[in-house]
Amino acid sequence: MALVPCQVLHAAILLSYCSILCNYKAIDMPAHQTYGGSWKFLTFIDLVIQAVFFGICVLTDLSSLLTKGNDSQEQERQLKKLISLRDWVMAVLAFPVGVFVVTMFWSIYMYDRELVYPKVLDNFIPAWLNHGMHTTVLPFVLIEMRTTHHQYPSRSCGLAAVCTFTIGYILWVFWIHHVTGVWVYPILEHLSPGAKIIFFAGGTVIINIFYLIGEVLNNYIWDTQK
């Protein structure tokens, strides 16, 4: 895809995420006023990740346009650093976390929505915003993978980074429960200590699988031999 269409696409997606974040933060929900605020929800963290990622994409597009036809080696070096950062965020955070949020949310939602998204939230969050947080993330990240080639880090480094993020978030969830006595997600209230360990271990495995799927998909799409 040509540079200008990709540039417009990145800008449009970035604006959509900014709109979703602003509308979400404007909602007067009790959960926003408790310890951790919006940052205790993986959905919100993922929205920030996606917005930052597409912000980097827009910045990369602008830098590419500015350096086009320019022989400055310093500018080329800075552009390569920016591209490396963009690719790393896509590989380690934007794709695996985004796909994990969408698949896990809708899987649990279809089983029993009260475990992850109680019906009372419909009074605060409109349907379009719910889909903006839990649905459109997947097509956006797939479109990005199809339109832009991303250089993945070594598999060991990539998986280590994904595990670090996942374990960090799990510890954050346990810390919030330690401080408030309330679990971030209703489903955790129904699980025994052993079941919680299995639940979090399973989630860690799944998000690592999504990292591997992203790597395989990226290589398949951009395999120059094919």
Side-chain angles (χ1 to χ4, degrees), residues 7-218:
Q7 189 177 27
V8 172
L9 180 67
H10 290 153
I13 294 176
L14 174 61
L15 288 175
S16 71
Y17 277 123
C18 290
S19 174
I20 291 170
L21 283 167
C22 289
N23 279 276
Y24 178 74
K25 291 296 292 182
I27 296 173
D28 186 19
M29 281 199 310
H32 290 174
Q33 312 304 323
T34 57
Y35 184 82
S38 303
W39 291 97
K40 57 178 169 284
F41 301 113
L42 186 59
T43 292
F44 179 77
I45 295 174
D46 177 51
L47 287 175
V48 173
I49 289 172
Q50 302 298 329
V52 169
F53 168 68
F54 281 100
I56 295 173
C57 288
V58 170
L59 186 59
T60 302
D61 291 337
L62 291 175
S63 298
S64 296
L65 287 173
L66 292 174
T67 57
K68 193 174 182 179
N70 194 322
D71 295 331
S72 172
Q73 293 185 350
E74 177 60 23
Q75 288 185 352
E76 285 290 336
R77 189 170 66 85
Q78 295 300 325
L79 177 59
K80 288 180 179 179
K81 285 185 177 181
L82 197 57
I83 291 173
S84 296
L85 176 62
R86 179 202 66 186
D87 292 348
W88 188 90
V89 174
M90 172 65 172
V92 172
L93 296 174
F95 186 87
V97 177
V99 177
F100 179 84
V101 166
V102 173
T103 55
M104 290 299 292
F105 174 83
W106 287 112
S107 296
I108 300 175
Y109 185 98
M110 288 186 289
Y111 174 73
D112 183 356
R113 67 169 295 177
E114 294 299 318
L115 296 176
V116 67
Y117 192 82
K119 196 173 180 63
V120 67
L121 291 179
D122 292 341
N123 298 323
F124 300 95
I125 303 176
W128 72 266
L129 186 56
N130 180 29
H131 285 292
M133 297 187 297
H134 297 116
T135 305
T136 58
V137 173
L138 182 58
F140 282 168
V141 79
L142 289 176
I143 290 171
E144 168 60 19
M145 181 165 284
R146 178 62 184 86
T147 56
T148 307
H149 175 256
H150 298 277
Q151 185 67 44
Y152 268 60
S154 67
R155 182 167 294 180
S156 58
C157 290
L159 291 174
V162 172
C163 286
T164 300
F165 171 83
T166 307
I167 293 171
Y169 179 71
I170 292 172
L171 293 176
W172 172 230
V173 169
F174 274 95
W175 175 255
I176 291 173
H177 178 262
H178 171 74
V179 172
T180 66
V182 178
W183 290 105
V184 173
Y185 302 104
I187 188 175
L188 297 173
E189 301 283 357
H190 302 277
L191 300 179
S192 65
K196 286 185 179 69
I197 293 175
I198 295 174
F199 178 81
F200 284 119
T204 303
V205 171
I206 291 172
I207 199 170
N208 276 274
I209 290 174
F210 285 143
Y211 171 84
L212 296 175
I213 290 175
E215 182 184 37
V216 171
L217 186 60
N218 180 74

